[in-house]
Structure formats: C-alpha cells, structure tokens
C-alpha cells in the first residue's frame, strides 16, 4: 500500500514511512555545485566536524559560473577545490564537464530507488530514473556532509497521467509546460508527483529529464517516472552500483489524480514572469525577440541540440543565439553528429558546458526591456538580468524564433 | 530568540520568488551585507533602504518559490526582517529559513503596509489590529532549531550537552 516515495523513505529511514510522517533519512548520494557549495562548506566548517560522512557519496560539479567570471568567484572556487581535496572527495567535475543534473545521470549516480539530495532546486531531475531526487539549501547540505542524514516529511503523492501522442516539432518541453499549466506554480507544493500514461512511456530519457526537472516549478518535492527498459538501457555501463527499482502498489493512496491529453497539443510558451503563465505558441507569435538561449539542465541535451540543428540547417538566425550544451559528453557527441557546425554555420554562438545565462550571472545577461526565448526553466522577473523578459519554450520553438527574430511556431518554419 | 515577535508590516503578494528576493548576480560572496543591501531588489528597490530592524513581511501563497539559494532567507534576515508570515511557503525556502534562524509561519491574515503585527510562534497565531490569523504551528523540533538561532547553532548546542 505504498507509493514510490513512501517505499524509498521507508528503506532510507529503516521504518514504515507513510505520507505525513517525519523521518530521518539516510541519504544515498549528495550533490552540491560551485554555487551552493560555498555556503554549504561554510556551514560545514562551523559545525566543526573534521571529515565528511562518506566522500564516495558526495558529488560536486562546477557548473553555475564556469569558468569563473570575477575574482570573487575565482577565489570562492579556489577555496572549494582545496576543501574537496582535503576531504578526499573524488567525484569532483570541474569547469567544462557540465551541469550537475546532466553529469550525475551520465556518470551513473542517478539510480532507481535511491534517495538523492542536491543543494540545487532542480535536483528533482533524478526522478526521471525512478529515484527520489530533491533539492535543499546549503545548511541542510552541510548537515548531510557531516552525518549523511537529514529530516524529511514523507510527501503525499499526486498521480499525473499523460496520454496521447506528441505531434511533429512538439516535444517533451511542450508536454512539461502543459502539465505546469494544469497544475500551477504551487499546485504540487510539499508533494511528490508520479508520472504515468502512454505519452510518458514514449518520452526518451532526455525527455523524462526535462519533465522531472520542472517538478519544482509546481512546488513539487519530487517528480518521478517509474523506471522501465529505457532506464535500464541508459544506465547500462554507467550505474555506479547495482540498483533495485521500486514501484507504487496498486492500492496506494494518491492525494490527487490528474489526467492530461497531449494529442493535438500545440507548442507551449510560458510568458513572463511566471512559469505557469503558459499559452499555445500562436497567442505570442510575432513577439519581437532580442536573444535566443538553447541550453540548461532542462533542454541542453543531445536531442535538444539535434532538434535545433534540424530547424536551422542551411539557414541563418537573425538574432543573437546562444547555444550551451549541458555537458562535455553532449558537446562531443553534438560535434560528432555535425549539430555544432550546423548551429554555428547558422550564426549561433557556442558557450562552454554549464548553466550559461539561465541564472543571470554571465554569458548572455539581458538588457532592460530585452526579450529572450529560452529553453531553460524559470522566467521570474530579473532572472536573466534586470528588466529582461523571458519566454520559456522548447528547443524547436527557440530555433524557429531565432530564424524569424520573433516568436514563431516551429511547425510553420 | 523570542517566540513572540512584533514588528511593522511589509506587505507582498503571491509567488515571491527567490530571484526577486536576491538576484543571481549577487550570490557569489559570503558577505551577508551584500545580500541585505539587495534584498527584494527585484520587486521593491526601496525595501533595503527603508526596512528597519524588527520589521515583518506578510505575504500571500508560495513565498520563496524557485531556487534553493539560502542567500534568500539570509538577505531578509540580515536586512533586519524578524519574521515572514505567508499563506504558504515553497518547501526549500521553508527549510532554509529555519536553518538560518529566520522565523516563519504559515498563516492567512490580512494586514496593511506599515501596520503592527504580532506573531506567536509557539501558539501558531498571528495578530494584526483586531484580527487573528490561525497559523500552522511548527513541529517542536523545528521550533527548537529556531529558538537556538538556526541549525548550525542547534547542532553545536547539542554537541555541548
């Protein structure tokens, strides 16, 4: 009678955990990046615990401001590198390796049934592999560094069933934005979401990562796709350990049941300044665009670059277009397949694997009043620079908009 | 820390996200004063100039949504905010606020900008004028963390026992 979340928390807390219970969970894998590790390490030092609980279970990718943009960032990163060495943490992925939420799955840390906690809100991405992935802040991460444990309230679970077939040039991001439109920016607060239905089964692993990545944009504590043969296929040769997938029992309790049909779904766009301000692309077609960003932990994967390259092949963008692969591995494969040369020939600019301008710190910050079509996950006021206006969309819609210089329907270019 | 807090109200709406509480470009420092100087800059550029120590924020639903940045509750705390009252909180902000020793309470109450509001954390109640908002009482273990001034201070106190 248990959900995936209840089963994972039962194992992690050696108890019979039910939704609403407070438990102390043993964390299977902990992640912090160059941004959040600064305050996490500061809090860890203040705890005066000499050694982390288990260096092999800690993963630290540098992705947020890479390479360092200022002397302050450089000095903070220098200090974290020293600390990582002192602590004997070997799973450190430095500048250029990629975004944490891409690197952990690629390196086989995101495994079914695991409790993975990251000092980053998009740690829910690991739910694409049937893990309970969730985000915390720096002090919680320091607590995990010191003890390997953290308190949790076991979440209630919403069942989200998505049926139907996505049309040509309509992709996982459109499905995801449509789910957010139905549930709202706080509709899943404190809750876990489990995804079912033919449209979810049809999603590639990359597409499931896009979907689970944005669970937090509905307030979700986790977004989980039950593992299947695609999961095993992806993890073959990568998984750092053996794993046991867990599935929800037939008589488990869901707090809500949501059904969504994506047959005939149009490309979706989230307008400024909230992620649930979602409409069909035709409502915003023609809006002038100053910048296009294709990348991020939501849509910087190989199939995203492929989708953009297919639309831009042999054509030219008319606005500045920034492409940032999610990882070194994605970049290498995209070079091999010719997508990178296609994109660059079309006029796009390539940035180093990492978060890029998503968080508004470097590599494509907007000027006051500028409009950006972005494949990232947040369009909050000022997110990519003060006064900037962000429209979130799929790589297909972003590429089509880059061609036209205004928001465009990718099915019509 | 006192479990009853009184202060002047700063009133905000729904979905106040962490990017407006402290924009991403100010995150790369450990200087708390930088966070305080830019607190709420994204929606209220005057806030950091006019906030006084002890003031209280009263907001709508989903306060603190968005990123996991602990700089968000730190910015409010070091700006002088003594408590955040909101109809609901985004879960990471909720944890972070307790961990850095910024009192928070979920309650539905209507207040005007500048009014005096009193929060009783132990009872889970918020008073403003003649109105009382029944809030959600924090579990005792979280009240203890707040009372000790945050998670690090709480752990150090435990270690001394």
């Amino acid at each position: 009678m248990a959900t995936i979340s209840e089963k994972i928390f039962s194992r992690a807390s050696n108890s019979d955990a039910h939704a609403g219970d407070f438990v102390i969970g043993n964390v299977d894998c902990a992640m912090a990046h160059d941004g959040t590790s600064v305050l996490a390490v500061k809090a860890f030092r203040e705890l005066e615990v000499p050694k982390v609980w288990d260096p092999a279970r800690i993963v630290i990718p540098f992705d947020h401001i890479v390479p360092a943009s200022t002397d302050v960032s450089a000095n903070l990163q220098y200090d974290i590198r020293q600390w990582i060495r002192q602590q004997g943490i070997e799973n450190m992925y430095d500048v250029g390796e990629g975004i944490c939420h891409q690197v952990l799955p690629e390196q086989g840390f995101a495994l079914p049934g695991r409790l993975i906690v990251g000092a980053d809100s998009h740690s829910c991405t690991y739910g694409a592999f049937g893990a309970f992935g969730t985000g915390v802040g720096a002090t919680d991460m320091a607590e995990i560094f010191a003890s390997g444990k953290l308190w949790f309230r076991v979440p209630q679970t919403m069942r989200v069933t998505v049926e139907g077939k996505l049309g040509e040039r309509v992709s996982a991001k459109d499905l995801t934005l449509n789910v957010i439109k139905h549930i709202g920016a706080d509709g899943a607060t404190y809750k876990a979401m489990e995804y079912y239905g033919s449209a979810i089964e049809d999603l590639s692993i990359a597409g499931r990562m896009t979907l689970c990545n944005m669970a937090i944009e509905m307030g979700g504590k986790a977004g989980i796709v039950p593992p299947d043969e695609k999961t095993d296929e992806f993890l073959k040769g990568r998984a750092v350990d053996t794993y046991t997938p867990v599935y929800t029992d037939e008589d488990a309790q869901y707090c809500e049941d949501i059904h969504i049909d994506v047959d005939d779904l149009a490309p979706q766009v989230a307008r400024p300044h909230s992620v649930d301000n979602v409409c069909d692309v035709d409502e915003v077609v023609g809006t002038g665009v100053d910048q296009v960003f294709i990348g991020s932990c939501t849509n910087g994967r190989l199939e995203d670059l492929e989708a953009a390259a297919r639309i831009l092949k042999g054509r030219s963008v008319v606005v500045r277009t920034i492409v940032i692969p999610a990882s070194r591995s994605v970049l290498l494969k995209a070079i091999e397949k010719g997508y990178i040369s296609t994109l660059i020939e079309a006029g796009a600019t390539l940035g180093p694997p990492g978060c890029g301008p998503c968080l508004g710190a470097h590599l494509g910050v907007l000027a006051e009043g500028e409009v950006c079509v972005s494949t990232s996950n947040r369009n909050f006021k000022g997110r990519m620079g003060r006064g900037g206006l962000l429209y979130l969309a799929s790589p297909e819609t972003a590429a089509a908009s880059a061609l036209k210089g205004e928001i465009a329907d990718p099915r019509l270019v | 820390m006192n479990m009853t807090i009184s202060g002047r109200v700063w009133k905000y709406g729904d979905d106040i996200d962490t990017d407006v509480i402290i924009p991403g470009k100010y995150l790369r420092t450990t200087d708390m004063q930088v966070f305080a100087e830019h607190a709420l800059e994204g929606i209220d550029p005057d806030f950091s100039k006019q906030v006084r120590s002890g003031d209280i924020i009263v907001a709508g639903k989903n306060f603190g949504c968005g990123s996991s940045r602990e700089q968000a509750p730190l910015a409010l705390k070091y700006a002088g905010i003594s408590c955040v009252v909101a109809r609901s909180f985004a879960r990471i902000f909720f944890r972070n606020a307790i961990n850095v020793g910024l009192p928070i309470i979920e309650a539905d109450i209507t207040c005007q900008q500048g009014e005096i509001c009193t929060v009783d954390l132990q009872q889970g109640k918020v008073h403003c004028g003649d109105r009382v908002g029944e809030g959600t009482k924090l579990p005792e273990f979280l009240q203890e963390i707040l009372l000790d001034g945050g998670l690090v201070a709480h752990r150090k106190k435990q270690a001394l026992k």
Side-chain angles (χ1 to χ4, degrees), chain A residues 22 34-36 38-39 42-43 46-48 64-65 72-73 76 119-121 134-140 143 150-153 185-186 189-190 216-217 219-221 273 359-361 378 380-383 386, chain B residues 15 17-20 23-30 32 35 38 41-43 61-62 65-71 74 88-92 94-96 98-100 106 139 141-142 145 151-153 155-156:
Chain A
F22 285 94
D34 59 303
T36 49
V38 172
L39 290 182
K42 180 174 178 283
E46 286 166 11
L47 286 169
E48 294 173 359
H64 270 56
I65 307 216
V72 175
S73 299
L76 292 171
D120 187 277
S121 61
T134 198
V136 298
T139 303
D140 274 335
E143 170 103 333
L150 197 68
W151 73 265
F152 297 92
R153 189 168 67 175
D186 69 339
T189 299
Y190 304 137
I216 183 68
E217 309 314 332
K221 190 162 181 171
H273 294 287
L359 64 150
R378 286 195 178 126
F380 300 150
K381 209 175 223 178
R383 168 84 178 175
R386 190 191 302 186
Chain B
D15 303 316
D17 63 74
T18 55
D19 276 282
V20 301
K25 61 184 162 183
Y26 303 121
L27 299 179
R28 300 299 167 250
T29 172
T30 50
M32 303 295 152
F35 306 146
H38 298 285
E41 187 176 285
I43 43 162
K61 66 184 175 69
N62 204 23
C65 61
S67 104
S68 70
R69 62 189 67 163
E70 207 159 277
Q71 290 92 338
L74 285 170
S88 67
F89 289 94
R91 55 163 290 274
I92 306 179
F94 180 91
R95 296 184 73 110
N96 285 346
I98 290 167
N99 286 342
V100 304
E106 261 184 13
F141 79 102
L142 294 182
I145 295 173
L151 186 63
V152 169
R155 288 283 174 255
K156 288 177 93 165

Side-chain angles (χ1 to χ4, degrees), chain A residues 98-120:
Chain A
I99 309 175
C100 52
H101 306 310
Q102 182 66 17
V103 169
L104 264 73
E106 278 177 0
Q107 300 293 331
F109 292 101
L111 298 175
R114 296 297 169 101
L115 174 58
I116 306 172
V117 183
D120 187 277

Side-chain angles (χ1 to χ4, degrees), chain B:
Chain B
M1 199 206 77
N2 204 324
M3 295 302 267
T4 303
I5 301 161
S6 274
R8 193 174 63 136
V9 168
W10 286 82
K11 193 180 167 181
Y12 295 105
D14 294 337
D15 303 316
I16 301 299
D17 63 74
T18 55
D19 276 282
V20 301
I21 297 174
I22 180 77
K25 61 184 162 183
Y26 303 121
L27 299 179
R28 300 299 167 250
T29 172
T30 50
D31 182 350
M32 303 295 152
Q33 235 23 67
V34 173
F35 306 146
E37 277 163 24
H38 298 285
L40 285 166
E41 187 176 285
I43 43 162
D44 191 352
D46 293 333
F47 173 83
S48 68
K49 290 172 214 111
Q50 291 171 9
V51 66
R52 291 200 301 252
S53 179
D55 286 357
I56 289 176
I57 287 174
V58 178
K61 66 184 175 69
N62 204 23
F63 189 90
C65 61
S67 104
S68 70
R69 62 189 67 163
E70 207 159 277
Q71 290 92 338
L74 285 170
L76 300 180
K77 181 182 168 173
Y78 283 90
I81 290 297
S82 63
C83 185
V84 182
V85 181
R87 204 132 57 80
S88 67
F89 289 94
R91 55 163 290 274
I92 306 179
F93 183 92
F94 180 91
R95 296 184 73 110
N96 285 346
I98 290 167
N99 286 342
V100 304
L102 173 69
I104 51 170
I105 183 165
E106 261 184 13
D108 195 357
I109 188 154
T110 311
C111 299
Q112 299 311 315
Q113 177 83 11
E115 244 186 320
I116 299 298
C117 164
T118 302
V119 179
D120 184 336
L121 289 169
Q122 215 158 12
Q123 298 298 322
K125 282 191 172 136
V126 182
H127 301 261
C128 200
D130 55 1
R131 302 170 306 281
V132 182
E134 290 291 341
T136 310
K137 221 169 19 166
L138 289 174
E140 259 171 44
F141 79 102
L142 294 182
Q143 286 191 32
E144 273 174 40
I145 295 173
L146 268 183
L147 203 56
D148 291 342
L151 186 63
V152 169
H154 179 66
R155 288 283 174 255
K156 288 177 93 165
K157 190 174 153 192
Q158 283 179 324
L160 290 174
K161 276 184 187 165

Side-chain angles (χ1 to χ4, degrees), chain A residues 1-12:
Chain A
M1 279 199 25
T3 62
I4 291 176
S5 302
E6 287 171 323
K7 288 186 179 182
I8 292 176
F9 278 111
S10 291
R11 180 191 54 76

Side-chain angles (χ1 to χ4, degrees), chain A residues 119-327:
Chain A
D120 187 277
S121 61
H122 292 107
S123 302
C124 44
T125 310
Y126 315 133
F129 303 88
F132 191 97
T134 198
V136 298
T139 303
D140 274 335
M141 190 46 60
E143 170 103 333
I144 298 173
F145 284 167
S147 68
K149 297 178 201 300
L150 197 68
W151 73 265
F152 297 92
R153 189 168 67 175
V154 181
Q156 294 183 308
T157 298
M158 295 166 74
R159 177 166 56 188
V160 182
T161 307
V162 189
E163 302 285 1
K165 220 163 178 51
L166 295 173
E168 187 75 7
R169 292 190 175 172
V170 179
S171 63
K173 182 62 161 292
D174 301 303
L175 183 156
T176 305
L177 290 174
N178 193 249
V179 168
I180 297 173
K181 182 183 183 177
H182 278 85
I183 294 179
D186 69 339
T189 299
Y190 304 137
K191 294 171 189 152
M193 287 180 277
E194 289 182 9
Y195 289 106
Y196 296 93
S198 57
I200 305 298
E201 287 158 22
D202 286 350
L203 287 177
S204 64
I205 288 295
R208 293 174 187 184
M209 289 168 74
T210 301
L211 174 68
C212 293
N213 175 267
M214 293 189 77
I216 183 68
E217 309 314 332
M218 296 167 271
K221 190 162 181 171
I224 303 173
V225 175
D228 60 10
E229 62 283 357
K230 287 182 188 171
T231 322
D232 291 332
E233 185 58 35
F234 180 88
L235 292 171
K236 214 155 104 189
R238 303 177 193 266
V240 292
D241 203 348
T242 55
Y243 56 88
T244 314
V246 293
Y247 299 96
T248 290
D249 295 327
E250 265 183 35
D251 52 356
Q253 292 283 315
Y254 290 105
C255 62
E256 256 177 275
D257 231 328
I258 289 167
H259 292 266
I260 295 169
D261 195 323
V262 293
D263 269 334
D264 308 319
L265 183 72
Q268 303 285 290
V269 175
R271 294 161 288 189
H273 294 287
S274 72
V275 182
D276 61 355
N277 190 14
V278 175
C279 64
D280 287 357
V281 68
D282 59 1
E283 282 188 48
V284 285
V285 156
T287 306
V289 169
D290 300 287
Q291 175 171 300
V292 168
F293 168 48
I294 299 170
S296 85
C297 55
T298 317
N299 281 117
R301 283 175 272 281
L302 191 66
E303 68 179 45
D304 301 318
L305 303 187
E306 179 185 6
R310 275 176 194 272
I311 289 172
L312 296 178
K313 193 167 179 65
R315 305 163 89 175
S316 294
V317 301
V318 298
V319 292
R320 59 178 193 267
T321 300
I322 298 164
V323 175
I324 301 192
S327 72

